[in-house]
Amino acid sequence: MDNMATSELHDVFCANVRSRRKELGMTQAQVAGAMGISQSAFANIESGRCSPTLTAIANVCRALQTTASTMLDEHAMVGS
């Protein structure tokens, strides 16, 4: 994450969320349920239509059984 711009970091997070969710075979509704939010709220996080709070990032990571560090790593999920 060498001097990555905030918008790039946001894009990486969103792509990694989508990748990890699919890797686990989970639907958006399942992840949202594990987080205690609506499917549409999770869809907004995953698609990048909103910027998640630190609490939301932690909840996403918990639901996807991973770490924030992994989800923010541009080389961690996408294309691996």
Side-chain angles (χ1 to χ4, degrees), residues 10-23 31 35 42 45-47 52 57 60-61 64 66 71 77-78:
H10 184 250
D11 292 345
V12 166
F13 178 77
C14 295
N16 284 341
V17 166
R18 185 175 306 108
S19 177
R20 179 66 176 159
R21 177 180 62 77
K22 289 182 178 186
E23 179 181 293
V31 177
M35 292 176 63
F42 177 75
I45 292 170
E46 185 181 84
S47 69
I57 290 171
V60 167
C61 293
L64 295 176
T66 190
M71 299 310 281
M77 299 276 172
V78 179

Side-chain angles (χ1 to χ4, degrees), residues 20-71:
R20 179 66 176 159
R21 177 180 62 77
K22 289 182 178 186
E23 179 181 293
L24 293 174
M26 295 177 79
T27 65
Q28 287 183 341
Q30 289 171 319
V31 177
M35 292 176 63
I37 63 174
S38 69
Q39 183 274 329
S40 61
F42 177 75
N44 285 336
I45 292 170
E46 185 181 84
S47 69
R49 286 189 295 267
C50 73
S51 294
T53 63
L54 289 175
T55 300
I57 290 171
N59 289 337
V60 167
C61 293
R62 194 172 302 112
L64 295 176
Q65 304 166 17
T66 190
T67 64
S69 178
T70 299
M71 299 310 281

